[in-house]
Amino acid sequence: MNTQQKLKKYLEEIEKNDKKGKKINAFLQLNSDALEDAKKIDEKIKKGVAGKLAGKIIAVKANINVRGMNISCASKVLENYKAPYNATVIEKIKKQDGLIIGIANCDEFACGSSGETSAFGPTKNPQCLELIPGGSSSGSAASVSADFCDMALGSDTGGSIRNPASHCGVVGVKPTYSSVSRYGLIDLAMSFDQIGPFAKNVLDVSLLLSVIQGKNFCDSISQKSKIINLKEIDKIPQNLKVGLLDFPIQDNNIQKLINKKIQKACEKYNWEIKKIKIPYLDLAIATYYPLVYVEFFSATRKLDGRRYGKKIEEVCGPEVLRRILGGSEIAKAEHQGRYYYQALKVRRLIKEEFRKAFTNVDCIISPTVPRLPHKIKEKISVEEMYDYDALTIPSNLAGNCSISIPVGKINKIPVGMQIMCDKFQDEKMLQIARSIEKLG
Ligand code: GLN
């Protein structure tokens, strides 16, 4: 099937089930030039001059700038904002002939774990339509899971790629902090955010990650890293020491599923398995939120209604407002040293504990999310919502890389396994994920 045929098939499926039929609501906007772009890509393929992503059809989260598209962050604030430039990751994708099919729904300004805070309606979980797909990159995960595209880009501040990947039964990667340029990403919290890929399998996320990685002068934080060698991903790592995270979670059935899978992998590949405790992990959520609130408060000061769109406090939803008000309070001079600096201290401790742990093991395995997704519109408390990210936040605090891969189902609901590796060990992490994926 060439790119044009594949695109048509996806567009038909979107037409049938995104706003009508199953009403997934994964897309906020489709690329009206997509057919034209697909034609050009097919011509390049014919001539044998096409890039690495030729033939791949990709959705982009609504907080990553794509020139000419409406990058609203799923918010009324930027409802009419048209991106005047491409984020670095988009330039890289286009250079390798990836085709952007549309802009994916998400939680408003990436604040959320369920996809329900979007100003343009929640996204449904394509695997179980009455349930949330997870968030905040809800539309990115759902579009891959619903077979609307091959791949997607999301952003992960505290779990927003891995969490919806887990709930929707797809693969999602949070790369090492600073290994992918954030230029053109509309920040939630810049010391945590990382753009990363979603796909249906490990080889495809590896391909997309190998394209978007690398240092770029527009993002001074971005660093040069070992670019993923796709030929290496299919190799089974030898003499691997696997750390199985010892951390109590709400749903024991999820833990059992993870344990069973990792035991199977260790037996088959002769990997050594060790139970591992990371001190202070129970403080991860309490550490993450004050930092995110303050960074988000700061990042949103430019949304004052004069330059871009509307004044954020006047039109945003309750979760975004909570963070802005909370951030402005925590950042007050009279609280200096109380919350923000305490949180920075604990962040440093957690970072250090991970550094120590990775001198003993090659990777750390855990469930991606400690519980199964709730029903759309079901009332849960703010604390319960924040708890979804108990196991994903630690990697963002430490800056490590991590991935979620589907490993089974409980009551027909997909469950993801998280594999965490040390900074800049993304290639090894993908190898481990691929080896586990191969078990079927
Ligand atoms: N759910 C977390 C939050 O609301 C993570 C969000 C994200 O990773 N963008 O902050």
Side-chain angles (χ1 to χ4, degrees):
M1 211 189 301
N2 67 20
T3 318
Q4 294 169 78
Q5 290 160 335
K6 195 155 129 194
L7 175 68
K8 279 185 192 147
K9 192 190 92 189
Y10 281 145
L11 289 174
E12 272 165 27
E13 195 53 39
I14 293 170
E15 170 63 26
K16 220 163 61 192
N17 282 318
D18 199 41
K19 303 293 173 232
K20 301 181 211 151
K22 294 181 185 163
K23 296 192 176 153
I24 305 286
N25 199 24
F27 283 103
L28 294 177
Q29 189 188 11
L30 292 174
N31 174 11
S32 51
D33 297 333
L35 277 166
E36 203 50 41
D37 295 349
K39 214 167 149 190
K40 284 186 202 145
I41 292 166
D42 282 335
E43 277 161 20
K44 277 183 149 183
I45 296 175
K46 237 193 211 155
K47 284 191 199 142
V49 293
K52 269 165 103 173
L53 286 175
K56 298 292 184 190
I57 296 183
I58 305 165
V60 177
K61 186 174 181 179
N63 61 355
I64 300 172
N65 278 281
V66 181
R67 194 187 298 124
M69 303 289 284
N70 172 217
I71 306 305
S72 65
C73 293
S75 176
K76 293 270 180 208
V77 179
L78 294 174
E79 198 171 12
N80 300 314
Y81 167 72
K82 247 195 187 173
Y85 70 110
N86 281 330
T88 306
V89 289
I90 302 300
E91 285 293 333
K92 289 186 169 197
I93 286 175
K94 290 198 170 198
K95 212 168 152 196
Q96 293 299 333
D97 296 312
L99 177 64
I100 290 167
I101 187 168
I103 302 303
N105 203 359
C106 60
D107 279 299
E108 186 176 17
F109 285 101
C111 297
S113 309
S114 69
E116 293 167 299
T117 74
S118 165
F120 307 111
T123 300
K124 286 185 184 171
N125 187 327
Q127 303 302 316
C128 317
L129 293 173
E130 72 285 7
L131 302 182
I132 57 148
S136 66
S137 312
S138 46
S140 305
S143 61
V144 174
S145 173
D147 216 16
F148 292 163
C149 55
D150 297 312
M151 303 166 160
L153 283 182
S155 66
D156 192 309
T157 312
S160 281
I161 292 177
R162 292 158 288 160
N163 164 311
S166 171
H167 291 327
C168 292
V170 298
V171 182
V173 181
K174 183 202 93 70
T176 297
Y177 180 71
S178 78
S179 66
V180 176
S181 166
R182 288 174 300 118
Y183 179 68
L185 168 71
I186 300 172
D187 306 310
L188 167 52
M190 63 185 211
S191 79
F192 296 94
D193 293 340
Q194 194 57 81
I195 296 175
F198 288 93
K200 291 162 194 163
N201 56 60
V202 175
L203 291 179
D204 267 1
V205 285
S206 308
L207 171 64
L208 186 51
L209 183 55
S210 73
V211 169
I212 61 174
Q213 274 186 313
K215 183 171 174 56
N216 179 271
F217 74 95
C218 293
D219 176 1
S220 56
I221 295 296
S222 67
Q223 294 188 55
K224 205 169 148 193
S225 53
K226 183 174 177 284
I227 299 293
I228 285 156
N229 179 351
L230 292 172
K231 290 197 193 99
E232 292 291 313
I233 304 300
D234 244 344
K235 290 190 185 151
I236 311 285
Q238 300 298 312
N239 304 321
L240 203 72
K241 284 197 191 114
V242 175
L244 180 60
L245 186 68
D246 185 358
F247 187 85
I249 65 161
Q250 205 177 333
D251 189 335
N252 202 28
N253 289 330
I254 296 180
Q255 189 68 55
K256 277 193 204 147
L257 199 67
I258 301 299
N259 294 356
K260 217 169 113 190
K261 195 74 173 189
I262 198 62
Q263 262 151 17
K264 196 171 159 194
C266 289
E267 275 161 28
K268 171 129 196 225
Y269 303 129
N270 245 327
W271 294 344
E272 186 187 335
I273 190 163
K274 286 182 177 184
K275 268 209 164 172
I276 182 165
K277 264 206 167 97
I278 310 264
Y280 312 114
L281 270 205
D282 52 330
L283 300 177
I285 296 175
T287 307
Y288 168 85
Y289 276 99
L291 297 174
V292 166
Y293 276 28
V294 170
E295 289 189 28
F296 182 58
F297 167 61
S298 159
T300 53
R301 292 313 79 205
K302 61 182 174 282
L303 301 168
D304 57 5
R306 285 182 293 183
R307 281 164 291 184
Y308 320 90
K310 307 189 181 94
K311 186 169 180 187
I312 189 163
E313 289 84 348
E314 284 170 5
V315 291
C316 69
E319 183 55 36
V320 165
L321 193 59
R322 179 179 359 264
R323 293 178 191 218
I324 292 174
L325 297 180
S328 78
E329 189 60 32
I330 296 168
K332 278 183 182 160
E334 68 222 58
H335 296 313
Q336 207 198 359
R338 253 189 241 165
Y339 310 111
Y340 188 72
Y341 287 116
Q342 287 298 334
L344 281 181
K345 275 191 205 158
V346 183
R347 180 181 195 174
R348 210 170 313 131
L349 289 173
I350 291 178
K351 233 184 211 175
E352 179 55 19
E353 291 302 336
F354 269 106
R355 193 196 59 75
K356 281 196 233 155
F358 286 124
T359 60
N360 291 322
V361 293
D362 293 287
C363 66
I364 300 173
I365 304 282
S366 74
T368 307
V369 188
R371 54 168 287 192
L372 295 174
H374 61 266
K375 287 209 173 89
I376 295 175
K377 296 205 172 112
E378 183 185 325
K379 274 251 163 291
I380 67 167
S381 68
V382 176
E383 289 77 13
E384 279 175 301
M385 191 64 93
Y386 288 1
D387 277 347
Y388 268 112
D389 287 328
L391 295 165
T392 45
I393 282 174
S395 288
N396 301 78
L397 288 168
N400 302 331
C401 54
S402 33
I403 184 172
S404 177
I405 57 169
V407 287
K409 288 188 175 179
I410 295 175
N411 304 331
K412 301 197 184 127
I413 305 168
V415 171
M417 171 194 276
Q418 178 173 238
I419 306 163
M420 299 178 255
C421 281
D422 204 357
K423 293 185 190 71
F424 299 107
Q425 299 288 317
D426 305 55
E427 187 176 284
K428 180 168 80 181
M429 174 185 81
L430 292 163
Q431 274 181 342
I432 300 168
R434 175 78 183 122
S435 311
I436 298 172
E437 183 184 64
K438 275 185 192 158
L439 296 171

